[in-house]
Amino acid sequence: MARNKEKLVLLLDVGPSMHGVLPEVEKVCSMLVEKKLIFNKDDEVGVVVFGTEETNNELMDEVGGYENIVVLQDIKVVDGDLIDILKKLPRGTVDGDFLDAIVVGMDMLIKKYKGIYKGKKRLCLITNAIHPTKDSLEGSKEDQVGTLAVQMTAQGMKMESIVVRGILSQDANKRIMDENDRLLSIFSKKTRSRTVYVDSPISLLGALKTRRVTPVTVFRGHLELSQQMKIKVWVYKKTQEEKFPTLKKYSEKAPSTSKFATHQVMVDYEYKSVDDSSTVVPPEQRIKGYRYGPQVVPISDAERDAVKFKPEKGVKLLGFTDASNIIRHYYMKDVYLFIAEPGNTRAILAVSAIARAMKEMNKVAILRCVWRQGQQNVVVGVLTPNISQNNKIPDSFYFNVLPFIEDVREYQFPSFNSFPASWLPNEQQQMAADEFVQMLNLAPSGKEEALLPEFTPNPVLERFYHHLELKSKQPDAAVPPLDETLKRITEPDLELDFENKSVLDSLCKHFELKENSKKSARRLLPEKPSGSNGEDGNGNVSDARAVDSIGQEPVVKIEKIGDLTPVQDFEVMMTRRDNPEWVGKAIREMRDKILSLLTNSHGGDNYLVAVECIIALRKGCILEQVSPSPSLCFCCCFFLNLLCGFRCFCLMEPGPYNNLMRYLYRYCQEKEISTFPKLLASMDVTLISKSEAVDSSNFTDDEARRFLDKIKPEPKD
């Protein structure tokens, strides 16, 4: 695996004009080595600084002329000492020459690896490039850079240039900066080099890629446009979330002095019988079980393979559509890059022709993708043309996964027009709120976007790696405080607050701001029952209390609805999943409790408790309305789910609640009770309608609402 190792030389400008950003340079270079110690511990790194008063490099001794350049660290395998060196960079006293530093770095790589190493060799230059470079003894500076570029390509080297500008370069000579930018652009055109310009400490931390990830194809095959037209393509992941590294368990049982101790923790599992805990169940007597609601369904490997969805590997075109039909926020997961098969001229021309035609017509393509054989899920997404601006890089496509209908979550919020007039904002309040929102815009007009994703590091991961490096030296080291530069990512921008003080003052003036000391309750269902107009808040408060309680885990296992706290007992029983019969038992007992409260009431003393129980029952029936279809057996539904990849659901008949309400209608008529129906109406307690139980309820919202009028007894003359 020698080709996967990287040989890197850091070329760091430490001249006087760089002193303001050297702390950030030290941080980013230290992070680079810290990650190499974790992910690429066999990589080798050397450090060269330029702009120093002293000189210490081999070229100076051999040919002379390369002054004010010091080799701080020869190329060697990364270790903790290198981190200490990078954390204490010297402060130079003269303006450095970045071209001389590049030559010294190339010389170090050539002398150490010429003819013996074919892997990755890279130079990383960090400078502001605002000072003039020396004139070439032969030819122009452009000729000198061209010669270096040819030599760099011949030796298989890459170069990454990070140019720090911003406030530090405001007083610099514009002509010199343009000349240096032109010289660096020659490297980018003639070699495999990349030049990045940054203007803030945050951007500097993210500009240098501290972790090297080797791209791997997720698909190699044909892009099928039709049965007769196929193009060979390779597909890579362009973006991917960076996650925490996988940590292994470490055992301290082995003697610390033992040379052969691995300190590994081996984990073994035993499966024992429920009836006899001392009996170990062998593998041939075990079968996998899958949860389906409160039940566990045993499925053997043969049965699972028989019904498993097995699509064929391939990428097929489904059709084209206007780019305006694909909404940006529908994009899911990571971005993929489609390129023509390298070296295949016909494929490159075909991809370029289709991409340019799609760009000209403002079209995108819809694809069906199965990346590998045996993959159980099918991906449908949008293919967007990516026209290259570099003559050396062919055109390509970007691919984004689109959601299926069950992946889309559409949340509806009530309009402000439904609120009382006293709650609506006036013109001054609306203007203050608009200005406050505009103040928080990361990409205001006329300014560069702040916190660009490609230049913004993950502060959580950076702090984790820093802590890991400290613990490698001091096992008892405490978690270090968050770095000041990283704080600017996670905390409010004080400069932004100061610049927009008038906006904040206006917001405080027009709104009464209070600190919310209470945590907001979690809502599982809409607060407003079907048919409610939102004018009376009593029913909503009770509904919210019922929903919040149902969503919580039971602390005590209640087995029967008591007389003291019937609502709470019902909610606890509804959340129990150790037996599927608990839900039905809770609904039956709550129904009986409501009837008991109503029939045993004296002067309406139990009516309020009965209504609260009805509200809890209504919510419980809605929450538990998802169940397997009664027309299909349980296992059939489960196998259909595995086979089709879709859920076969139907809604459980909300009969326990609706039947109870119809019985109350007849009971109130027979007993000529009017107080109880009025109490139900005041709390907007209605039947369960189609909007809440689409496939089973026969009541529309209007019919459910009119039921309140129907349940009220006619007044007698």
Side-chain angles (χ1 to χ4, degrees):
M1 301 297 291
R3 291 183 179 273
N4 292 329
K5 299 178 183 179
E6 183 183 56
K7 315 302 179 183
L8 171 66
V9 176
L10 296 173
L11 310 174
L12 309 178
D13 188 349
V14 296
S17 60
M18 286 286 291
H19 287 182
V21 294
L22 279 184
E24 278 67 39
V25 174
E26 293 171 341
K27 293 172 190 174
V28 70
C29 293
S30 300
M31 290 178 185
L32 170 68
V33 178
E34 289 170 3
K35 291 189 180 181
K36 284 186 176 293
L37 285 172
I38 299 173
F39 299 104
N40 310 101
K41 60 183 180 180
D42 295 326
D43 286 2
E44 299 181 14
V45 176
V47 182
V48 176
V49 294
F50 59 99
T52 58
E53 185 175 356
E54 61 273 10
T55 302
N56 182 14
N57 63 81
E58 291 186 2
L59 283 180
M60 174 64 182
D61 300 332
E62 295 173 0
V63 298
Y66 295 91
E67 301 174 347
N68 308 119
I69 301 176
V70 175
V71 178
L72 278 187
Q73 174 67 60
D74 289 323
I75 303 174
K76 70 169 189 177
V77 177
V78 292
D79 55 18
D81 295 336
L82 181 57
I83 297 177
D84 296 334
I85 292 174
L86 291 171
K87 287 183 177 180
K88 299 178 181 178
L89 293 176
R91 268 49 177 175
T93 57
V94 298
D95 299 331
D97 187 330
F98 68 86
L99 287 182
D100 283 354
I102 292 174
V103 175
V104 172
M106 292 176 60
D107 180 68
M108 293 172 62
L109 289 171
I110 292 173
K111 286 180 178 178
K112 185 158 187 176
Y113 303 111
K114 183 178 181 181
I116 62 171
Y117 182 74
K118 302 295 184 182
K120 301 172 183 177
K121 291 175 282 189
R122 182 163 66 104
L123 298 171
C124 180
L125 171 67
I126 302 180
T127 180
N128 53 17
I130 63 175
H131 301 294
T133 57
K134 298 175 184 177
D135 293 328
S136 176
L137 297 178
E138 297 180 2
S140 64
K141 293 181 182 180
E142 287 76 7
D143 295 335
Q144 179 189 6
V145 172
T147 302
L148 291 176
V150 171
Q151 185 69 9
M152 196 178 291
T153 303
Q155 297 295 331
M157 298 181 191
K158 294 181 180 180
M159 188 172 75
E160 184 177 7
S161 303
I162 300 176
V163 182
V164 185
R165 292 283 169 80
I167 299 177
L168 298 177
S169 59
Q170 288 181 351
D171 300 330
N173 190 311
K174 182 76 164 53
R175 182 188 62 81
I176 295 176
M177 287 197 299
D178 291 342
E179 181 186 56
N180 291 338
D181 292 346
R182 187 171 64 255
L183 296 177
L184 290 173
S185 67
I186 296 176
F187 284 111
S188 301
K189 293 177 181 178
K190 295 188 176 182
T191 66
R192 294 183 295 173
S193 300
R194 183 177 75 107
T195 302
V196 178
Y197 292 86
V198 298
D199 60 357
S200 68
I202 296 177
S203 299
L204 177 58
L205 287 182
L208 179 60
K209 303 305 178 185
T210 54
R211 183 183 175 191
R212 177 170 48 85
V213 180
T214 303
V216 179
T217 56
V218 298
F219 175 82
R220 295 188 185 187
H222 289 99
L223 169 58
E224 298 185 26
L225 304 179
S226 66
Q227 290 293 336
Q228 293 76 29
M229 186 176 183
K230 302 178 181 179
I231 305 173
K232 286 190 175 182
V233 295
W234 287 12
V235 182
Y236 292 89
K237 267 194 175 183
K238 181 173 175 58
T239 62
Q240 186 173 4
E241 178 186 359
E242 186 176 8
K243 300 180 180 179
F244 277 92
T246 303
L247 303 180
K248 298 180 180 179
K249 295 182 179 180
Y250 180 87
S251 174
E252 296 181 346
K253 298 294 184 181
S256 58
T257 57
S258 175
K259 296 182 179 179
F260 303 101
T262 61
H263 298 279
Q264 293 182 354
V265 177
M266 306 298 293
V267 181
D268 191 17
Y269 294 93
E270 284 187 347
Y271 296 84
K272 296 186 177 181
S273 173
V274 177
D275 299 329
D276 185 5
S277 59
S278 62
T279 304
V280 178
V281 181
E284 60 273 11
Q285 296 181 12
R286 298 198 298 259
I287 188 172
K288 289 184 178 180
Y290 296 86
R291 288 193 175 277
Y292 195 82
Q295 303 185 37
V296 177
V297 183
I299 303 293
S300 66
D301 293 339
E303 291 171 331
R304 189 175 66 254
D305 291 339
V307 299
K308 185 185 295 183
F309 180 50
K310 300 176 183 178
E312 291 293 328
K313 174 185 175 182
V315 176
K316 297 182 179 180
L317 173 70
L318 299 182
F320 295 94
T321 185
D322 291 333
S324 59
N325 293 333
I326 306 298
I327 305 175
R328 175 64 181 85
H329 63 258
Y330 279 174
Y331 291 176
M332 300 176 63
K333 299 183 179 180
D334 305 311
V335 183
Y336 295 83
L337 178 67
F338 276 64
I339 65 171
E341 183 183 46
N344 189 331
T345 305
R346 297 179 63 184
I348 293 174
L349 291 175
V351 167
S352 179
I354 295 174
R356 291 178 181 272
M358 290 170 60
K359 184 71 174 180
E360 182 179 349
M361 301 175 66
N362 196 30
K363 298 286 186 179
V364 294
I366 307 299
L367 301 185
R368 176 189 184 273
C369 304
V370 180
W371 303 125
R372 59 186 181 275
Q373 194 67 33
Q375 178 178 323
Q376 297 184 19
N377 61 312
V378 175
V379 175
V380 174
V382 56
L383 197 67
T384 307
N386 175 38
I387 308 302
S388 174
Q389 304 299 323
N390 191 329
N391 294 331
K392 294 184 178 180
I393 302 177
D395 298 330
S396 57
F397 294 101
Y398 289 143
F399 178 80
N400 292 89
V401 179
L402 295 177
F404 291 101
I405 188 63
E406 57 265 27
D407 297 323
V408 178
R409 301 290 186 269
E410 293 186 357
Y411 299 97
Q412 296 182 357
F413 300 94
S415 172
F416 283 165
N417 295 329
S418 62
F419 295 147
S422 59
W423 292 12
L424 299 179
N426 56 38
E427 185 176 351
Q428 290 78 14
Q429 288 177 322
Q430 185 66 55
M431 183 179 299
D434 292 342
E435 291 177 351
F436 177 71
V437 173
Q438 290 299 323
M439 182 195 81
L440 302 176
N441 189 1
L442 290 176
S445 59
K447 293 184 180 181
E448 186 175 352
E449 181 179 352
L451 299 179
L452 286 167
E454 57 267 31
F455 292 150
T456 304
N458 187 324
V460 178
L461 286 173
E462 300 302 337
R463 190 182 190 189
F464 169 77
Y465 292 128
H466 181 45
H467 185 210
L468 206 60
E469 190 269 333
L470 287 179
K471 289 187 72 69
S472 67
K473 298 178 180 179
Q474 304 175 16
D476 298 331
V479 178
L482 189 62
D483 182 79
E484 291 298 327
T485 304
L486 296 178
K487 278 186 179 180
R488 299 183 63 181
I489 303 175
T490 60
E491 297 182 356
D493 190 345
L494 297 180
E495 295 181 4
L496 181 66
D497 293 345
F498 180 76
E499 293 175 358
N500 297 274
K501 188 176 183 302
S502 60
V503 176
L504 297 174
D505 292 342
S506 176
L507 185 71
C508 296
K509 177 182 177 181
H510 292 94
F511 292 92
E512 182 182 2
L513 303 181
K514 295 182 180 180
E515 182 178 356
N516 184 12
S517 58
K518 298 181 180 180
K519 294 183 179 179
S520 59
R522 181 184 178 188
R523 308 287 181 180
L524 301 183
L525 287 175
E527 291 184 2
K528 186 172 63 175
S530 176
S532 172
N533 57 9
E535 295 176 359
D536 190 305
N538 296 329
N540 290 344
V541 173
S542 301
D543 291 349
R545 183 165 64 251
V547 174
D548 295 340
S549 301
I550 289 176
Q552 297 172 356
E553 290 294 332
V555 179
V556 181
K557 290 187 176 181
I558 304 297
E559 298 184 356
K560 184 178 180 181
I561 295 178
D563 297 328
L564 186 61
T565 56
V567 173
Q568 288 78 1
D569 295 346
F570 170 74
E571 293 161 356
V572 172
M573 291 179 66
M574 291 290 286
T575 57
R576 292 191 61 172
R577 289 297 182 265
D578 51 337
N579 192 315
E581 297 179 358
W582 283 114
V583 173
K585 181 179 180 182
I587 292 176
R588 289 192 300 272
E589 291 193 4
M590 178 55 83
R591 179 190 59 196
D592 296 340
K593 176 61 65 176
I594 294 169
L595 295 175
S596 176
L597 289 170
L598 188 60
T599 55
N600 297 325
S601 177
H602 301 285
D605 58 341
N606 292 335
Y607 285 174
L608 185 59
V609 179
V611 171
E612 289 185 351
C613 292
I614 291 174
I615 293 173
L617 177 63
R618 188 180 194 279
K619 291 296 182 181
C621 288
I622 295 174
L623 280 174
E624 296 296 333
Q625 64 182 317
V626 179
S627 68
S629 172
S631 61
L632 293 175
C633 71
F634 183 83
C635 290
C636 288
C637 285
F638 187 82
F639 279 120
L640 282 176
N641 290 337
L642 291 177
L643 179 63
C644 303
F646 296 98
R647 297 179 179 178
C648 300
F649 287 143
C650 78
L651 296 178
M652 183 171 66
E653 170 63 37
Y657 174 80
N658 285 349
N659 289 340
L660 175 64
M661 295 297 287
R662 287 193 286 265
Y663 175 81
L664 293 178
Y665 162 67
R666 295 192 299 270
Y667 182 84
C668 289
Q669 280 189 330
E670 293 174 359
K671 301 297 182 180
E672 298 182 351
I673 298 175
S674 61
T675 307
F676 186 71
K678 289 180 180 179
L679 186 59
L680 288 175
S682 67
M683 289 187 161
D684 288 327
V685 182
T686 67
L687 297 176
I688 296 178
S689 64
K690 285 185 177 180
S691 62
E692 297 162 303
V694 180
D695 296 333
S696 58
S697 178
N698 296 323
F699 293 95
T700 64
D701 289 345
D702 292 337
E703 291 172 340
R705 182 68 185 172
R706 287 197 298 269
F707 184 79
L708 292 178
D709 300 329
K710 179 181 178 181
I711 199 173
K712 295 178 183 178
E714 293 293 335
K716 293 186 176 181
D717 296 334

